[in-house]
Amino acid sequence: MLIDKGAMVYHYLRTKLRQRPANRQEMEQWQEERVRSHVRFVRKHSAFYRELWKDYADAQWRQFPIMDKELMMEHFDLLNTVGITKEEAFAVAYQAENSRDFAPTIGSITVGLSSGTSGNRGVFLVSPQERRAWAGTVLAKMLPHSLLQKESIAFFLRANSNLYGSVGSHRLQFHYYDLLSPLKEHIDRLNEQRPGLIVAPPSMLRILAQARQQGILQINPHKIISVAEVLDPLDRKAIETQFEQRVHQVYQCTEGFLACTCSHGTLHLNEDIVIIEKEYLDQKLGRFVPIITDFSRRTQPIVRYRLNDVLTERAEPCPCGSPFLALESIEGRCDDIFYGYSLHDNRLRPIFPDFISRAIIHASEKVLEYLAIQHTPDRVEICLRVDEADEAGSRSAQVEHEITHVMNNLFLKMNCKPPAIEFSLYDQGGYAKYDKQGELADIKKLRRVERRFQLGEDTDPFL
């Protein structure tokens, strides 16, 4: 679909040239003005929000009821401002998924399907104006050089979208790589295209790094951007080693373009387009759940929308000097926080995913890949792939012993009873599904740390 490239360039230049706020106070005042203006528009054009906020003034927006995916999907028809029904949106989105043709729209509105890591299907709407703004903003923040220079971009995603296609131009060659296509096809295309910029989930970047190590992938991109999945330290190290450069990140979800890395590799929230309120899980450690208000999106308004992610603030200021909040890490979903039985009262207490990841990685340098799955509070499975040069592809009893030791110490340090730990071989098939012919049929987001049991209704998840 052709869009107004001039408008995209306008948003690119506005993002690039916008004067940086002198401090947090100046930035927050600027944000406040834009949110109140946004709220006035949404009140006028969204019947659902108009009713939801009827007892609140615009200035009381921080007291508006919290939104989430379930509530948004339940009231989708009256919530969006362009009169599209959920039935219409899902019909177009499912047709695109099945046909792998992602060009169709409803009128001028782009429709996309989101599964998220939780597996709960959602649908999103984006107008042409929002596509232009998104494209210009992303290019301004993530392109390694001027928009006037030629660039070839390889974009790996489960599903394409008119939204992503917005970045294409005669100078920017945008190539979509369907994650469901065979790996050999990807390697051949990459060797022919020789992209300067690769955007892909860490799981795919890890595969490409291995292909480069084997000599079958012969490209030298000058920038690599991780998207869609949590970038685990183990994956980061392997990717950076093979491509000999820093891996940058984009924190993007259905609900918005939330954060990206600066030139120093630090993740900063995009507080020029969103406001992030922090629901602290552990204020001392800086861990919080984000509640987002995107004052740049009007078609499907995102106001006080609670995500299911765990973010950690960076303790030290970033050398880049940006007033935008810096993040130490994106740990994953709240649903993947591990729990252990307290040594004192047998109540369940949280253990954050980052603690689990670091314990396994630091236990042994022989660990190449892992999945940590908590089946019950007293049973954890750890799937391992260790250094084949040392173990010929088999599990290492020594590595298992070392991981068991550090995991036990971690749980005890958190005043929890250590769980029984089982080990199994790491299998990429855990997140990739194949058909009877051996072709890749589906892929879900890789989660290195995953909890597979539900908390009871009477459990305080952040006790």
Side-chain angles (χ1 to χ4, degrees):
M1 175 183 293
L2 294 177
I3 66 168
D4 183 359
K5 299 298 180 182
M8 183 190 74
V9 172
Y10 163 77
H11 287 286
Y12 169 88
L13 293 174
R14 189 177 72 164
T15 303
K16 276 286 190 184
L17 302 178
R18 178 185 288 140
Q19 185 175 0
R20 176 184 290 180
N23 50 52
R24 289 290 302 182
Q25 182 178 358
E26 182 180 310
M27 186 191 71
E28 289 171 2
Q29 182 178 352
W30 178 87
Q31 288 179 322
E32 184 71 22
E33 293 171 357
R34 275 145 189 80
V35 169
R36 293 191 188 187
S37 173
H38 184 65
V39 165
R40 287 194 294 272
F41 174 88
V42 175
R43 246 191 231 277
K44 183 177 180 180
H45 295 89
S46 170
F48 169 74
Y49 280 118
R50 187 162 55 248
E51 176 64 22
L52 186 68
W53 301 339
K54 64 182 180 181
D55 296 327
Y56 302 90
D58 294 348
Q60 296 175 300
W61 68 268
R62 292 181 184 272
Q63 300 172 35
F64 289 171
I66 299 292
M67 290 291 295
D68 58 24
K69 180 182 282 187
E70 183 178 0
L71 194 59
M72 178 165 283
M73 289 301 100
E74 180 183 352
H75 299 282
F76 184 88
D77 295 6
L78 295 178
L79 182 146
N80 76 79
T81 63
V82 289
I84 292 176
T85 67
K86 182 168 66 174
E87 183 178 2
E88 290 175 312
F90 269 112
V92 170
Y94 280 131
Q95 175 61 30
E97 284 277 333
N98 294 330
S99 66
R100 312 308 290 168
D101 175 9
F102 299 96
T105 60
I106 299 178
S108 63
I109 303 298
T110 292
V111 182
L113 194 64
S114 167
S115 60
T117 50
S118 65
N120 297 321
R121 287 277 169 163
V123 69
F124 64 90
L125 308 175
V126 183
S127 70
Q129 295 83 1
E130 289 164 340
R131 288 203 307 273
R132 297 162 192 155
W134 178 89
T137 302
V138 168
L139 291 174
K141 289 177 179 285
M142 300 309 296
L143 266 187
H145 45 64
S146 167
L147 188 62
L148 297 177
Q149 292 182 240
K150 289 187 176 182
E151 183 63 274
S152 180
I153 304 170
F155 209 129
F156 286 81
L157 281 178
R158 177 190 57 80
N160 197 8
S161 169
N162 294 316
L163 182 64
Y164 306 125
S166 300
V167 302
S169 70
H170 68 282
R171 288 192 179 92
L172 296 177
Q173 297 177 10
F174 178 88
H175 301 265
Y176 167 63
Y177 286 70
D178 192 332
L179 284 172
L180 297 186
S181 298
L183 179 60
K184 185 181 183 304
E185 181 180 312
H186 291 326
I187 300 297
D188 291 343
R189 282 188 65 198
L190 286 169
N191 284 333
E192 181 180 354
Q193 179 195 346
R194 296 193 175 278
L197 181 60
I198 294 181
V199 184
S203 51
M204 176 54 71
L205 290 175
R206 184 73 187 265
I207 293 171
L208 297 180
Q210 185 176 3
R212 194 170 189 267
Q213 182 181 26
Q214 295 170 349
I216 59 176
L217 180 62
Q218 300 168 347
I219 61 172
N220 295 290
H222 48 254
K223 189 167 187 177
I224 294 174
I225 301 174
S226 168
V227 297
E229 299 168 355
V230 173
L231 180 59
D232 185 85
L234 194 65
D235 295 321
R236 178 197 286 274
K237 181 180 179 181
I239 297 162
E240 291 183 342
T241 297
Q242 292 305 318
F243 285 100
E244 300 178 311
Q245 62 181 282
R246 172 185 286 135
V247 175
H248 288 268
Q249 295 182 70
V250 163
Y251 178 29
Q252 158 104 16
C253 57
T254 305
E255 294 75 31
F257 178 34
L258 304 183
C260 59
T261 46
C262 66
S263 59
H264 292 267
T266 302
L267 266 171
H268 291 271
L269 294 175
N270 291 325
E271 294 184 287
D272 51 345
I273 53 178
V274 296
I275 281 185
I276 307 286
E277 298 175 80
K278 290 176 268 189
E279 182 183 301
Y280 278 106
L281 308 180
D282 188 325
Q283 192 161 1
K284 184 178 179 181
L285 295 176
R287 286 185 170 86
F288 66 94
V289 173
I291 299 172
I292 66 173
T293 297
D294 187 332
F295 47 85
S296 69
R297 288 181 59 181
R298 292 183 165 187
T299 306
Q300 186 176 345
I302 304 293
V303 181
R304 302 209 75 214
Y305 187 103
R306 185 186 189 275
L307 293 179
N308 196 30
D309 297 338
V310 179
L311 312 183
T312 303
E313 297 173 282
R314 179 182 165 110
E316 300 295 327
C318 179
C320 77
S322 171
F324 297 164
L325 182 70
L327 300 177
E328 185 65 38
S329 65
I330 301 168
E331 292 196 31
R333 302 167 54 235
C334 293
D335 291 348
D336 288 329
I337 295 174
F338 276 30
Y339 285 85
Y341 288 118
S342 169
L343 291 169
H344 304 299
D345 55 18
N346 216 41
R347 297 176 70 180
L348 290 177
R349 295 187 178 276
I351 302 174
F352 291 102
D354 185 54
F355 291 161
I356 304 298
S357 295
R358 291 181 184 275
I360 295 172
I361 293 170
H362 293 162
S364 173
E365 293 183 354
K366 297 175 184 177
V367 175
L368 298 180
E369 295 200 66
Y370 73 92
L371 294 175
I373 304 168
Q374 189 177 34
H375 295 282
T376 66
D378 51 13
R379 177 174 163 248
V380 172
E381 178 185 4
I382 298 179
C383 312
L384 288 177
R385 184 169 77 86
V386 299
D387 190 341
E388 294 185 5
D390 180 67
E391 292 297 326
S394 66
R395 300 197 309 273
S396 165
Q398 180 61 31
V399 172
E400 292 178 7
H401 173 77
E402 291 168 349
I403 291 176
T404 300
H405 177 70
V406 296
M407 288 287 286
N408 286 344
N409 285 346
L410 171 61
F411 274 72
L412 289 172
K413 184 178 180 180
M414 303 299 294
N415 294 311
C416 292
K417 299 175 184 177
I421 299 179
E422 308 166 2
F423 290 91
S424 59
L425 286 174
Y426 177 87
D427 179 12
Q428 184 174 317
Y431 61 92
K433 296 181 181 179
Y434 297 86
D435 60 24
K436 293 180 180 179
Q437 287 72 43
E439 294 294 329
L440 190 61
D442 194 12
I443 189 166
K444 64 180 182 179
K445 292 183 180 180
L446 173 62
R447 291 149 62 186
R448 293 288 183 197
V449 178
E450 181 178 355
R451 172 164 54 84
R452 292 187 179 175
F453 68 91
Q454 298 295 320
L455 297 175
E457 292 184 2
D458 59 344
T459 303
D460 182 349
F462 307 121
L463 183 65

